[in-house]
Amino acid sequence: MLTLRSISYTTFLFVTALAAGALVILTFWGPARWHWAMTVGWCRLAVWSAKFFCGLTVVVEGKENLPSVPSVIMIKHTTALETLVQVVEFPRTTWVVKRELLWIPLFGWAIALALKPIAINRRAGRIAVKQVIDQGKQRLKEGSWVTVFPEGTRMPPGETQRYGVSGAALAKEARCPIVPVAQNAGDFWPRRGWHKRPGTVRFCIGPPIDPGDRPPRETNLLVQDWIETKMLEISSVYQERARAAAGPPATGSFPGDESC
């Protein structure tokens, strides 16, 4: 039954994404607000259908932390679900994505039109960072928030890698806050495979982090510390890996032995 529900949801998601993408492309001549409204509407449907088909309920925490000005969002990326949720819960947003995503027929074209993403060559190093800063500042000036997936790819639950510097560098140059986001969708929605288990996904928006005048790499450490600490709090997979890394408890010891 779990497999059937998961396949049904994935099929529904694929079919409705094709329909929504075609609608966006067919209305290419319309104003940007149309395309954004279509995107938000489809993402709402996708999040609702995750609950209908798979029993995945999304709870959003920390919306009171959202700044009143366009900001940089740095979000833990483990599944497609958190990307859908952030479109619904944040103001109009553009993404920093790998350029290959926009080459996908229909789907990629619709993303290019609706989100106006910053498409980078991830192997370009400093050139890619400069592109994010230059185009990101323009998007922020136009009123769009900028979403960065700082690890550059979907990470298996319980794992992290060094955060890319582009998001923190953009925030410093644009003098805007960074909003860190943690979520435990990966506990229920595996990075690969069909099965999606029922459960409650916590989508946690943290207090904004002011980049100030510190180096972007120092700001990255602050952002990563908040996200990874929150992940350890909300993710059962993180907790299991932490217990496994700690090893079995010592036997024959008592509180206070450490001082002996």
Side-chain angles (χ1 to χ4, degrees), residues 210-231:
D210 182 2
D213 294 322
R214 69 173 66 89
R217 294 197 184 281
E218 290 185 13
T219 302
N220 259 354
L221 292 176
L222 294 177
V223 174
Q224 188 166 14
D225 181 67
W226 188 91
I227 291 177
E228 296 301 320
T229 299
K230 194 68 177 180
M231 291 297 297

Side-chain angles (χ1 to χ4, degrees), residues 2-237:
L2 182 64
T3 300
L4 179 61
R5 290 165 68 93
S6 298
I7 293 175
S8 297
Y9 174 61
T10 302
T11 303
F12 178 81
L13 208 62
F14 180 74
V15 171
T16 55
L18 287 177
L23 185 59
V24 168
I25 293 171
L26 288 173
T27 58
F28 69 91
W29 47 267
R33 68 177 183 275
W34 289 10
H35 303 138
W36 180 248
M38 293 175 200
T39 303
V40 173
W42 179 75
C43 287
R44 287 189 189 278
L45 176 64
V47 173
W48 172 84
S49 59
K51 181 176 182 180
F52 178 80
F53 285 103
C54 302
L56 281 169
T57 301
V58 178
V59 175
V60 180
E61 305 172 14
K63 287 197 73 172
E64 68 278 3
N65 290 324
L66 292 180
S68 58
V69 297
S71 305
V72 174
I73 305 163
M74 294 178 70
I75 181 170
K76 184 75 177 183
H77 191 24
T78 57
T79 73
L81 184 60
E82 67 271 5
T83 64
L84 305 173
V85 174
Q86 72 116 43
V87 168
V88 173
E89 297 298 337
F90 282 92
R92 182 181 176 116
T93 307
T94 189
W95 296 346
V96 176
V97 300
K98 60 182 180 180
R99 61 182 181 176
E100 292 82 0
L101 181 64
L102 306 189
W103 300 346
I104 301 174
L106 192 63
F107 180 74
W109 304 340
I111 288 178
L113 188 59
L115 295 177
K116 293 182 171 55
I118 302 169
I120 63 170
N121 178 359
R122 292 192 299 186
R123 299 176 181 174
R126 293 183 180 180
I127 295 175
V129 173
K130 186 177 186 303
Q131 180 186 351
V132 171
I133 293 172
D134 292 344
Q135 295 185 24
K137 287 171 68 175
Q138 183 61 37
R139 299 292 197 280
L140 290 165
K141 189 180 297 184
E142 293 168 354
S144 288
W145 294 46
V146 178
T147 294
V148 177
F149 305 105
E151 291 157 300
T153 187
R154 289 177 298 167
M155 296 298 298
E159 296 184 16
T160 187
Q161 63 185 19
R162 185 173 64 85
Y163 281 23
V165 76
S166 60
L170 168 59
K172 180 179 180 180
E173 290 289 328
R175 297 191 177 278
C176 71
I178 296 172
V179 180
V181 179
Q183 48 72 35
N184 65 339
D187 287 10
F188 313 100
W189 183 320
R191 188 180 178 209
R192 295 184 177 87
W194 287 96
H195 292 101
K196 298 169 180 62
R197 297 187 297 105
T200 299
V201 175
R202 294 176 63 184
F203 186 89
C204 302
I205 303 169
I209 295 173
D210 182 2
D213 294 322
R214 69 173 66 89
R217 294 197 184 281
E218 290 185 13
T219 302
N220 259 354
L221 292 176
L222 294 177
V223 174
Q224 188 166 14
D225 181 67
W226 188 91
I227 291 177
E228 296 301 320
T229 299
K230 194 68 177 180
M231 291 297 297
L232 185 58
E233 174 189 329
I234 66 177
S235 169
S236 60
V237 177

